[in-house]
Amino acid sequence: AVDLLGASFTPLSCWVIPIFVFIRWHINCGEHRTKVSAFEWGCIALELQLALVLMALGTYSSLINIREHWRTYGPPFGCHCEGIWSTCQCSAGHVGMGMCPLTPGEL
């Protein structure tokens, strides 16, 4: 899940949004703006394309990884205490699980 969020949002927050903010600033400055050469606009376009490709391929790769390891990861919000505690039934009795309405062995 962390890989999926990272692949989906990191290029957006680190490249796409700052570039769009710069473009908006550049447009709003009017005659007071600094000159941006055609080469620089080309680099900006390449960075945007790279960010979009990384977002698409990274998200796709993460989804494939989740699908391939579904039995290991399990469904969202499922009980994932196998291998940590002896059974999922015991998770209600552990520290930090006070909000759990079940008592150990009630499941």
Side-chain angles (χ1 to χ4, degrees), residues 22-65:
F22 169 76
I23 292 171
R24 184 65 189 175
W25 170 82
H26 187 73
I27 291 169
N28 286 345
C29 280
E31 56 190 54
H32 299 293
R33 64 181 168 219
T34 57
K35 177 152 175 39
V36 179
S37 70
F39 175 74
E40 290 170 318
W41 285 117
C43 289
I44 289 171
L46 286 174
E47 286 178 339
L48 280 174
Q49 288 176 350
L50 177 64
L52 295 176
V53 167
L54 285 175
M55 261 188 343
L57 293 180
T59 302
Y60 175 76
S61 173
S62 295
L63 289 172
I64 294 298
N65 190 33

Side-chain angles (χ1 to χ4, degrees), residues 1 5 20 27 31-32 42 50 54-55 66 80 89 91 98-99:
L5 292 174
F20 283 150
I27 291 169
E31 56 190 54
H32 299 293
L50 177 64
L54 285 175
M55 261 188 343
I66 289 171
H80 300 289
Q89 295 170 341
S91 57
M99 78 290 196

